[in-house]
Amino acid sequence: DAKTTQPPSMDCAEGRAANLPCNHSTISGNEYVYWYRQIHSQGPQYIIHGLKNNETNEMASLIITEDRKSSTLILPHATLRDTAVYYCIVRAGMDSSYKLIFGSGTRLLVRP
Amino acid sequence: NAGVTQTPKFRVLKTGQSMTLLCAQDMNHEYMYWYRQDPGMGLRLIHYSVGEGTTAKGEVPDGYNVSRLKKQNFLLGLESAAPSQTSVYFCASSWPDSFDGYTFGSGTRLTVV
């Protein structure tokens, strides 16, 4: 399974865009990039996922580089409620029962 | 619309005691998972199940057993609790083709003294 590398912490000002990077240089062709977040001690929450095209939903945008070795999660207008730990995960292959293996994530602090 | 429900939410055990954590989902999901999260760390997969009657080991299975007798329930057992098993336990469920991602429960905070 491909590993991911994320900065341990980041911060941004409320109302500004938060751009969270993730490196996954060993990703294979059939592996998707998933983003989850965990607010305080709650269960993780699904944000978005993508294979090779950029994706957008009501929560965020996901930009995947053309070589697929890295990606960026964008929260376009961060609010204080977006303060959380954000996990970038490369989903295990089709024969691995869709296990999600979490890393340490990025702790995002949104400042007033 | 309950989603994934974990019981109990909190528990304190003495070393050597046993207990069972229950996870119930009402979304008819095929796959279910148990994770643990230690302070300041990410989630680690303990065991998972790809269907009723099946279970498999994850990253950190030692000291735990699981059962999936009914599709909607996934039980995590600690036969002889140890202080190293003090953690927050999360259950999750998903479809086999989990394009919508996992649905997680709210967690069980377990302290072993």
Side-chain angles (χ1 to χ4, degrees):
Chain A
D1 299 338
K3 302 291 186 189
T4 62
T5 304
Q6 300 177 252
S9 63
M10 297 182 63
D11 66 66
C12 74
E14 187 177 19
R16 304 298 294 271
N19 298 286
L20 290 85
C22 179
N23 287 320
H24 31 78
S25 58
T26 60
I27 192 170
S28 60
N30 67 343
E31 290 181 315
Y32 287 75
V33 179
Y34 277 79
W35 283 84
Y36 281 76
R37 73 180 182 183
Q38 188 174 25
I39 297 174
H40 194 44
S41 299
Q42 300 175 19
Q45 175 190 26
Y46 166 80
I47 301 173
I48 198 168
H49 74 278
L51 183 62
K52 53 184 177 182
N53 297 320
N54 298 337
E55 302 288 345
T56 296
N57 63 21
E58 65 278 4
M59 291 182 66
S61 295
L62 175 60
I63 308 298
I64 302 174
T65 59
E66 191 170 345
D67 63 8
R68 302 208 325 123
K69 292 180 184 293
S70 66
S71 60
T72 300
L73 178 74
I74 301 172
L75 307 178
H77 305 287
T79 71
L80 299 180
R81 286 175 292 185
D82 292 322
T83 291
V85 178
Y86 288 77
Y87 297 99
C88 169
I89 302 165
V90 174
R91 192 185 74 177
M94 298 294 286
D95 61 350
S96 299
S97 306
Y98 303 93
K99 299 192 301 279
L100 289 180
I101 305 299
F102 287 77
S104 300
T106 296
R107 186 173 299 275
L108 175 68
L109 174 64
V110 180
R111 295 176 279 104
Chain B
N1 187 18
V4 176
T5 303
Q6 292 184 232
T7 53
K9 295 191 183 307
F10 303 93
R11 185 73 185 268
V12 178
L13 281 181
K14 294 183 178 179
T15 297
Q17 286 184 321
S18 64
M19 78 162 295
T20 300
L21 282 67
L22 171 64
C23 176
Q25 52 96 2
D26 61 1
M27 298 168 285
N28 204 34
H29 283 170
E30 200 67 37
Y31 290 1
M32 297 186 74
Y33 314 82
W34 275 107
Y35 288 86
R36 63 175 286 176
Q37 185 173 35
D38 299 331
M41 298 183 65
L43 282 74
R44 291 184 292 170
L45 182 64
I46 306 171
H47 285 282
Y48 63 99
S49 168
V50 300
E52 182 177 317
T54 72
T55 63
K57 295 180 179 180
E59 303 172 272
V60 289
D62 294 341
Y64 304 94
N65 57 76
V66 288
S67 64
R68 183 101 181 266
L69 299 179
K70 293 182 178 180
K71 185 177 183 179
Q72 64 268 31
N73 296 335
F74 195 28
L75 279 64
L76 178 71
L78 287 73
E79 290 187 347
S80 180
S84 61
Q85 294 176 304
T86 294
S87 190
V88 179
Y89 292 84
F90 289 101
C91 176
S93 68
S94 73
W95 293 109
D97 194 1
S98 55
F99 285 107
D100 289 339
Y102 286 21
T103 300
F104 279 86
S106 57
T108 294
R109 188 174 297 275
L110 176 66
T111 301
V112 182
V113 298

